[in-house]
Amino acid sequence: MSGIVALFHLDGRPAEQATLERLVHPISHRAVDGLKIWFQGSSGVAHLHLQSTPTSYNEVQPAGCPRGLVISFDGRLDNREELISKLPGTSARDPQNLSDAACVLAAYREFGESFAQHLKGDFAIALFDCAQQKLLLARDIMGICALYHCQTQKTFLAASEIKSILAYPGFQTRPDDDALADLLLAGDPYERERTCFAGIFRVLPGHTVVVIPDKVRSFQHWDFDTTRQIRCASIEEYAERLRALFEQAVRRRLRSSHPVAVMVSGGLDSSAILCQAELLKRAGASVTPCMGISMTFPQDTDADEKQHLNDIEACYKISIRKLAFSRLRFVDGEKSIWNSELPQLEWDARSELLRIADQIGCRVVLDGYYGDQMLANGGYLVDLARSFRWLQLRHDFAEWGRWMAEVDPAIMKQELRLILSRGLVPYKLVRTVRRHMGITESRHPAWYARPFRERAFRRYVVSHRVPRRFVSYYAKTCYEFLTARLRLNVVETDNKTGAIQALEKAYPFMDTDLIEFLLAIPGHVVNWKGVPKGLFREAMKGVLPESIRLRNWKGDFTTLNNDAAASDYAKFQRCLGPDCSAVTNGYMDSMGVQSEFPNRKFDRNNSLPAVQVTAAVALELWLRVFWGGKEFSSHTASICG
């Protein structure tokens, strides 16, 4: 990923190159193909360049034009031809060599502040209009490229990573207690703008932030239409349209100046990406070479999917680069937290795959993430119940269990019943019951301090979603997946960890055209005949080997994750003592840490204990990494506020 840094002194003070260089330094690893700094008057922009698309070699950013516009563009435009056709003057130029940044500048000249609504792709943008003394920040609807901002006194800052903002001279922040409560203890599920650093905020996906000397405002430039309906005449027509959209999603992400890697597990989603890429190449499409990379595990583990990788190799006569792991380990906690800027630990296997992708000359890595959420969403069962289609509901309820063989049938039934109860019981009633029951500490480990748990519960109680209409309950649950803070955290973390290896992460299943189609068709069609991903399986006939297209289980990493946590448990216990930073700052209770943490047991079929333990350790390491174990004055009291 390229990198963006922007500075705007709102009181008119001149921007200094030395200050911009200081902000650039913490993310200098992004400047693989060069760094350029522009400053004029009270503003400055720096662009750390990673060339990943063919036209990126024709641009020098921050790119400027005679009308006094300066842009730093990170990402990839997917609708270049459509956009160029709308823009006077651009079609007369060589469209094949026109850079994405130049297209965006032309869009701003034509459409003004609403320019971003005309863009499709993965992008983050900082654009300065010198004549109007206006800074604009914009982000794509899926938030694939990270972008943060902060106002400190009379200076507005924006950057691709938070650590760049932290480097501003004299800037001080502290942990954002509300954001930590939301992240660690399921507080407000709808809050996405806050980061874990007080006063530093995300540019929300699909939003534009406009900054002028006396005002900062934000507006949403694009969102999915959740009331749209698409109906086809037959399942074959649905499958054909899905196949075409998936092909387009993969092709868009193969527009690269370097080889593209696919992180392929042997599962349905990632395998489909690699196989579709191979078919595009064989059909003579103008796409870059693609190669599969995979982590493999011993034959006696639930995560062993080597046979399916072998099936892809045999079917397409290709070789997949396989990295064998006997177990999973957590990488250097402090280093990974510095990179991600979140209190979370990372597996060594994923970072090793990225290292290999960089080693073989790739600049883009495709990932099957989010295929499950969009293609196997059980929310449609609620639509069946609401329309009194009891026989189909009964059939599909049973069918799901047969196609999720890796999940205990009792657990699967419990999960499906939970989906039904959430959809059939009025949301306000659920919130009222939870509030009166006072469900607080029981949901979370007792090593967290009571005031911190109560803060999270209060945030849950007062939280509210923005009201909107949905064509179905299935569409509603899909949209909630799309806008979830968890998904945003994942793609932002991938953005930052990929940048360390000079790589861009891209996700075909987060293609906006593909998502629009899936939101608009009935959920029972997406899960055709009660089969999770049933429509996608139909669409992938002739693309996937049949052994993968019809497989009824997924690789299960629960045991491996638990073993990784268990092997580091002694180290984790040493990390969390009665005088650790999380205790002294009021997030954890000293007695709870000493009594509860040492007794945590790891169940072979339950990943929750390992998740809870690693989250607690990550919080402690995060406090040490960014604050050196500092105790904030009166901070313990603020936890209760």
Side-chain angles (χ1 to χ4, degrees):
M1 291 290 185
S2 295
I4 296 171
V5 173
L7 175 152
F8 187 11
H9 290 310
L10 305 180
D11 58 0
R13 284 177 294 127
E16 297 180 349
Q17 181 171 343
T19 303
L20 280 164
E21 290 175 347
R22 179 168 175 169
L23 302 183
V24 163
H25 180 72
I27 60 171
S28 58
H29 55 274
R30 289 179 176 252
V32 177
D33 295 309
L35 163 70
K36 186 174 181 181
I37 293 176
W38 169 93
F39 59 99
Q40 177 180 307
S42 59
S43 60
V45 177
H47 184 78
L48 298 89
H49 200 30
L50 173 69
Q51 296 166 336
S52 60
T53 63
T55 60
S56 62
Y57 285 87
N58 304 320
E59 64 187 19
V60 179
Q61 296 191 53
C65 66
R67 292 183 59 181
L69 303 178
V70 175
I71 189 172
S72 178
F73 174 88
D74 173 27
R76 181 198 72 252
L77 280 186
D78 290 338
N79 64 330
R80 287 168 48 86
E81 291 78 10
E82 175 192 359
L83 185 63
I84 289 171
S85 69
K86 297 179 182 178
L87 303 174
T90 55
S91 57
R93 300 161 65 182
D94 181 2
Q96 296 300 318
N97 292 318
L98 197 64
S99 72
D100 290 355
C103 290
V104 174
L105 276 174
Y108 176 73
R109 289 197 298 269
E110 179 68 16
F111 304 114
E113 290 183 4
S114 64
F115 76 104
Q117 76 181 56
H118 300 274
L119 311 178
K120 280 187 180 179
D122 303 342
F123 59 82
I125 300 166
L127 190 156
F128 195 79
D129 186 327
C130 301
Q132 298 189 45
Q133 284 295 289
K134 179 193 298 182
L135 173 66
L136 298 99
L137 310 173
R139 208 169 164 197
D140 71 90
I141 186 63
M142 300 307 297
I144 304 301
C145 301
L147 190 60
Y148 306 92
H149 65 88
C150 171
Q151 183 174 345
T152 171
Q153 297 179 344
K154 287 294 184 177
T155 298
F156 188 92
L157 306 165
S160 299
E161 299 188 29
I162 293 171
K163 60 181 70 72
S164 180
I165 294 174
L166 298 178
Y168 183 72
F171 178 70
Q172 293 186 351
T173 184
R174 63 193 306 165
D176 187 311
D177 299 336
D178 287 339
L180 288 172
D182 294 344
L183 176 69
L184 299 170
L185 302 182
D188 184 346
Y190 308 114
E191 170 58 57
R192 296 188 300 159
E193 193 170 12
R194 287 177 180 268
T195 70
C196 294
F197 299 80
I200 300 177
F201 302 94
R202 289 183 170 103
V203 176
L204 283 173
H207 282 66
T208 299
V209 176
V210 182
V211 186
I212 57 177
D214 59 352
K215 187 177 182 180
V216 177
R217 56 187 171 87
S218 174
F219 65 90
Q220 188 164 17
H221 60 248
W222 199 86
D223 198 5
F224 293 102
D225 181 357
T226 55
T227 63
R228 182 186 179 204
Q229 295 187 58
I230 295 176
R231 298 295 182 264
C232 299
S234 65
I235 188 62
E236 290 78 17
E237 185 179 344
Y238 279 114
E240 183 180 349
R241 291 186 65 172
L242 178 57
R243 165 77 179 271
L245 288 167
F246 179 68
E247 178 184 306
Q248 174 181 263
V250 174
R251 184 194 294 113
R252 284 171 167 174
R253 287 152 183 82
L254 293 178
R255 179 180 160 244
S256 174
S257 54
H258 292 71
V260 172
V262 178
M263 295 176 68
V264 57
S265 65
L268 197 66
D269 306 331
S270 62
S271 299
I273 294 171
L274 179 59
C275 294
Q276 183 63 72
E278 283 297 314
L279 285 178
L280 283 167
K281 184 177 70 174
R282 294 182 181 191
S286 180
V287 295
T288 194
C290 191
M291 56 196 71
I293 56 175
S294 181
M295 49 186 175
T296 64
F297 297 93
Q299 191 170 352
D300 59 346
T301 65
D302 297 331
D304 176 28
E305 299 177 273
K306 289 190 292 293
Q307 181 55 54
H308 294 298
L309 297 174
N310 296 339
D311 292 341
I312 296 173
E313 291 179 320
C315 181
Y316 284 92
K317 304 298 186 292
I318 61 175
S319 178
I320 296 173
R321 178 76 176 267
K322 304 181 187 73
L323 282 73
F325 293 89
S326 60
R327 48 169 291 186
L328 290 173
R329 293 179 173 84
F330 292 105
V331 298
D332 182 329
E334 296 192 0
K335 181 179 179 181
S336 65
I337 285 171
W338 171 255
N339 292 337
S340 72
E341 303 174 339
L342 276 175
Q344 63 183 22
L345 301 184
E346 180 187 354
W347 286 347
D348 59 343
R350 291 188 65 84
S351 58
E352 184 64 12
L353 281 182
L354 294 180
R355 187 187 67 80
I356 293 300
D358 176 47
Q359 188 181 84
I360 59 181
C362 297
R363 287 283 175 94
V364 176
V365 177
L366 304 190
D367 193 318
Y369 177 59
Y370 236 64
D372 286 343
Q373 289 82 351
M374 294 309 302
L375 298 169
N377 182 344
Y380 83 99
L381 296 172
V382 175
D383 293 319
L384 294 180
R386 288 177 173 178
S387 59
F388 306 108
R389 299 165 71 175
W390 304 115
L391 290 179
Q392 185 175 351
L393 175 62
R394 180 179 179 182
H395 168 270
D396 289 13
F397 197 90
E399 196 68 14
W400 266 67
R402 287 193 284 271
W403 286 86
M404 294 285 189
E406 79 281 1
V407 182
D408 184 292
I411 295 176
M412 175 56 64
K413 288 181 180 179
Q414 181 182 1
E415 179 63 27
L416 294 176
R417 290 191 187 102
L418 183 60
I419 290 173
L420 284 170
S421 65
R422 284 173 176 167
L424 296 175
V425 178
Y427 180 70
K428 290 183 178 179
L429 178 60
V430 174
R431 295 286 292 272
T432 300
V433 170
R434 291 182 66 86
R435 181 170 62 250
H436 287 295
M437 289 179 64
I439 301 174
T440 53
E441 309 84 58
S442 60
R443 299 174 61 228
H444 304 290
W447 56 64
Y448 288 110
R450 181 182 293 274
F452 189 42
R453 284 180 282 168
E454 290 176 347
R455 172 184 287 267
F457 183 66
R458 287 196 303 273
R459 288 187 58 74
Y460 168 80
V461 167
V462 301
S463 66
H464 64 280
R465 60 168 67 97
V466 177
R468 63 184 300 129
R469 292 177 56 223
F470 295 93
V471 70
S472 64
Y473 185 81
Y474 158 79
K476 173 179 177 293
T477 53
C478 281
Y479 184 81
E480 288 177 348
F481 282 140
L482 292 170
T483 56
R485 183 176 58 244
L486 172 61
R487 185 201 62 80
L488 193 53
N489 285 340
V490 169
V491 297
E492 288 182 350
T493 298
D494 279 358
N495 174 286
K496 298 168 194 173
T497 55
I500 296 293
Q501 303 285 359
L503 294 167
E504 293 185 2
K505 290 293 294 291
Y507 314 87
F509 290 102
M510 291 192 211
D511 184 87
T512 53
D513 289 335
L514 178 65
I515 290 171
E516 280 188 296
F517 177 72
L518 291 170
L519 283 173
I521 65 177
H524 72 271
V525 172
V526 178
N527 299 277
W528 182 243
K529 294 184 177 179
V531 178
K533 305 184 183 181
L535 180 62
F536 190 63
R537 295 175 193 269
E538 290 290 317
M540 290 297 102
K541 287 180 178 178
V543 177
L544 282 169
E546 287 294 280
S547 61
I548 298 176
R549 191 178 73 86
L550 299 176
R551 66 180 290 188
N552 67 340
W553 61 280
K554 290 174 59 67
D556 188 354
F557 291 83
T558 301
T559 300
L560 288 167
N561 189 50
N562 288 347
D563 289 346
S567 65
D568 282 339
Y569 202 40
K571 182 171 67 176
F572 290 166
Q573 288 179 276
R574 291 193 297 271
C575 180
L576 290 177
D579 56 351
C580 68
S581 294
V583 170
T584 58
N585 282 293
Y587 299 110
M588 292 188 186
D589 175 73
S590 177
M591 295 300 296
V593 167
Q594 295 179 76
S595 62
E596 292 290 328
F597 199 80
N599 299 320
R600 189 60 43 162
K601 304 297 182 184
F602 301 110
D603 181 353
R604 177 181 176 83
N605 297 314
N606 184 3
S607 62
L608 183 60
V611 170
Q612 292 174 333
V613 164
T614 54
V617 173
L619 171 62
E620 172 64 19
L621 294 178
W622 180 79
L623 291 168
R624 295 182 188 180
V625 166
F626 288 100
W627 284 277
K630 174 183 176 182
E631 181 178 354
F632 297 94
S633 59
S634 304
H635 189 251
T636 302
S638 78
I639 297 289
C640 308

